[in-house]
Amino acid sequence: MAEWEGKSKGTATGYKIFIILIQKAGIGAAYFLLAFVSFYYFLFNTKQTRVIYNYFRQKHKQTVFRSLMNTYRNNYIFGQTLIDKVAIAAGLENKYTYEFDGIENIHQLAKDESAGIMISAHVGNFELAQHFMGEFDKKIHLVTTDEERVAIKSLLDSVMAKPNVEFVIVKDDMSHIFDIHNVIENQQIICFTGDRYFPETKTLEAELFGEKAKFPAGPFLLSSRLNTPVLFVYVMRERNRHYHLYARKAEFKNRDAQSLLENYTKSIEKILEKYPLQWFNYYDFWKKD
């Protein structure tokens, strides 16, 4: 199974340092420090560096030199998305610009008299969507599996405005299943990230960049059985602190989770062809059992 352990890069101490730097010296100063932090990860986090290097070398067919350079750039851009998340949530959203591509699909989802489903991935910076999509008739609930959110949440709450998104934390005792069903019964919007799974959970297989990989079955089984539109939603970082939101309707057969998954992997491939540096799965995604 893929060696993901339920958490991503970043610690509470690291967040605190960058929060203080943003508050005292500004976003530019935080980016400057990030350049050195990213280089440290590039040099000494060898497992992560190897995984991302292979992603560029094997999936995007880049040269050795370009793959190495883009491995560092991937670290740096990931750090920028974390800094941006804190800065925007702390009231500095006027320092950024935003572009919407398919936002009307989300508005329609919020108006439908049924639960709504959105599926994203660990690309770009989806959590920023809450800060510039505006207010909806329905609350958006994001299912997350990041363990470090428990430790970091109180720290972020000290600088962040009240979020427009609520989080459903995946728990070992599976109690989050009841939270998800409550969201659906109350006809709210639930958002999954469909590209990571835990050990001992049911999976589905599909090709991504020409090679089979496993995906969590739950989001696709549930989404394919509900009589409601499903959207693939990504928020991608562009130059000059510009973010671009994409929201596309999923095309699939009713009660056919496999067709939904295959449509999903095609959408990820398409978004990563345009933004190859923003793949943020730092483990061997295509590892065989």
Side-chain angles (χ1 to χ4, degrees), residues 223-242:
S223 301
S224 66
R225 292 172 182 176
L226 291 178
N227 188 25
T228 186
V230 177
L231 303 181
F232 299 140
V233 183
Y234 312 101
V235 178
M236 310 306 293
R237 193 182 199 280
E238 298 180 350
R239 293 183 177 180
N240 302 318
R241 299 179 190 167
H242 183 76

Side-chain angles (χ1 to χ4, degrees), residues 234-270:
Y234 312 101
V235 178
M236 310 306 293
R237 193 182 199 280
E238 298 180 350
R239 293 183 177 180
N240 302 318
R241 299 179 190 167
H242 183 76
Y243 277 91
H244 194 146
L245 179 144
Y246 296 85
R248 297 286 185 268
K249 290 184 179 179
E251 301 293 337
F252 62 98
K253 298 176 182 178
N254 188 38
R255 304 188 71 83
D256 187 347
Q258 187 65 39
S259 69
L260 175 59
L261 172 58
E262 290 172 359
N263 193 238
Y264 172 70
T265 56
K266 289 177 182 177
S267 78
I268 294 178
E269 287 180 354
K270 187 174 181 179

Side-chain angles (χ1 to χ4, degrees), residues 34-45:
L34 175 65
F36 300 96
V37 174
S38 301
F39 192 62
Y40 171 85
Y41 272 105
F42 174 75
L43 288 180
F44 298 109
N45 195 336

Side-chain angles (χ1 to χ4, degrees), residues 109 115-119 184 188-192 219 222-224 226 228-233 260:
L109 200 67
I117 303 287
M118 296 194 297
I119 306 179
I184 293 170
Q188 301 295 300
I189 296 175
I190 190 84
C191 180
F192 299 97
L222 177 64
S223 301
S224 66
L226 291 178
T228 186
V230 177
L231 303 181
F232 299 140
V233 183
L260 175 59

